[in-house]
Amino acid sequence: MVIDHSYKISTFGDFSDITPSAETMMFFFEKSKDYGLLPSVFQELQIKNGSNLPVTQQRIALISNDSSEKVSISSGRIDYEITAKCDMKLDPKYREELNKKICGVFAFIFEKFNKKSSRLALNTESFVINLGDEEITEFMSRYTNPISLYEAPLDEWSTRLLVRKSKHILASEERFNIITNISKAALQKQVDGNVVHSTGFAVNVDINTVPENTIQRYGSNDLACFIDIAIGWWDQIIAEMG
């Protein structure tokens, strides 16, 4: 069984001028309430050129009432992250509505502050759970052929896969990194007031446009296209894992 723990869409660019002034916070209060979000602030740590000491700066966040959704507007990136409150798989219909909401939020931010992005990313964390001992061994054997010393059961195990592919985002051909990290993990959760421990696998998928192209070229329409492409690859990865 695969459950989704977190789902994050990120854009990279220069957002350093989006700061929490009274006027800006009022704008976000009026716009974000239509998306079930409220403006807040967080402290961003930065290392200034010529200094090894970090400095903090107040930045803007948009947060849902239950804190399961958070938009963080940092100096060099904007992250829209959803964290699951219970064991669940993001079904296609819910995901479609979620992506429309995400694109809508990025659209009003980009339009208000005249922004574009140089890089886009999808990051997800999922867990493979409810496996027996034989299933755990069989799962690891699909991705490794260890030397004889490292026969199952292994106390620690992980693998990293990376491939680059090309795909069009609207009219422009772009290069993508498709990265999957899989690791054996000790899992725990509350069941009827008790902590239940189990062994499973953490699956982190990172799909991003390559960092070498630093041109500020992506708008909200490009983001919607990127999400469709990245979701297709993410679904393929999870499906072929079994």
Side-chain angles (χ1 to χ4, degrees):
M1 177 183 178
V2 178
I3 61 172
D4 297 321
H5 177 253
S6 66
Y7 176 90
K8 180 168 68 177
I9 300 294
S10 302
T11 64
F12 297 78
D14 181 9
F15 308 113
S16 57
D17 58 331
I18 307 178
T19 54
S21 66
E23 179 183 354
T24 302
M25 295 300 282
M26 182 57 68
F27 164 77
F28 278 112
F29 179 79
E30 292 298 326
K31 292 294 292 186
S32 63
K33 66 182 181 182
D34 295 334
Y35 296 88
L37 303 169
L38 290 173
S40 182
V41 295
F42 69 97
Q43 298 294 324
E44 179 186 31
L45 285 176
Q46 294 180 314
I47 302 294
K48 296 295 185 181
N49 290 336
S51 173
N52 293 323
L53 297 176
V55 297
T56 61
Q57 182 180 15
Q58 279 200 333
R59 307 296 303 174
I60 298 172
L62 310 174
I63 305 174
S64 64
N65 285 333
D66 64 356
S67 299
S68 64
E69 298 182 34
K70 182 178 181 180
V71 184
S72 302
I73 306 175
S74 302
S75 299
R77 63 188 290 167
I78 302 176
D79 299 310
Y80 196 131
E81 184 169 16
I82 293 91
T83 304
K85 295 295 184 180
C86 58
D87 292 352
M88 62 180 291
K89 186 79 181 74
L90 296 179
D91 67 79
K93 184 177 180 180
Y94 172 73
R95 205 168 57 188
E96 182 180 354
E97 293 302 314
L98 185 61
N99 289 330
K100 286 181 181 178
K101 181 178 180 180
I102 291 170
C103 289
V105 171
F106 276 102
F108 80 68
I109 295 173
F110 280 22
E111 180 180 354
K112 169 66 175 178
F113 299 97
N114 192 28
K115 296 297 182 182
K116 286 196 172 181
S117 171
S118 61
R119 194 179 181 202
L120 306 171
L122 165 72
N123 284 271
T124 67
E125 182 177 52
S126 304
F127 294 107
V128 182
I129 62 172
N130 297 339
L131 299 177
D133 291 342
E134 291 185 3
E135 291 174 305
I136 291 171
T137 300
E138 192 274 332
F139 185 95
M140 290 187 292
S141 70
R142 297 181 208 167
Y143 306 98
T144 57
N145 184 22
I147 57 179
S148 59
L149 179 63
Y150 296 101
E151 294 179 349
L154 297 171
D155 295 306
E156 295 182 12
W157 175 90
S158 65
T159 188
R160 174 181 168 88
L161 308 168
L162 187 154
V163 68
R164 280 193 169 183
K165 290 188 176 293
S166 295
K167 202 92 169 181
H168 276 83
I169 295 180
L170 298 183
S172 177
E173 185 176 55
E174 301 285 351
R175 292 281 285 168
F176 293 77
N177 293 312
I178 306 173
I179 305 165
T180 300
N181 290 294
I182 310 171
S183 58
K184 188 179 180 183
L187 309 175
Q188 62 180 40
K189 67 175 182 177
Q190 292 277 348
V191 178
D192 297 328
N194 298 314
V195 178
V196 177
H197 298 270
S198 63
T199 299
F201 296 90
V203 182
N204 296 94
V205 175
D206 178 2
I207 299 173
N208 59 77
T209 58
V210 297
E212 290 83 356
N213 189 342
T214 59
I215 297 172
Q216 307 286 315
R217 62 200 185 279
Y218 298 126
S220 56
N221 290 335
D222 300 285
L223 178 62
C225 183
F226 166 82
I227 291 174
D228 286 341
I229 294 168
I231 288 291
W233 281 328
W234 180 38
D235 283 344
Q236 180 181 349
I237 291 166
I238 297 300
E240 292 187 13
M241 281 176 50

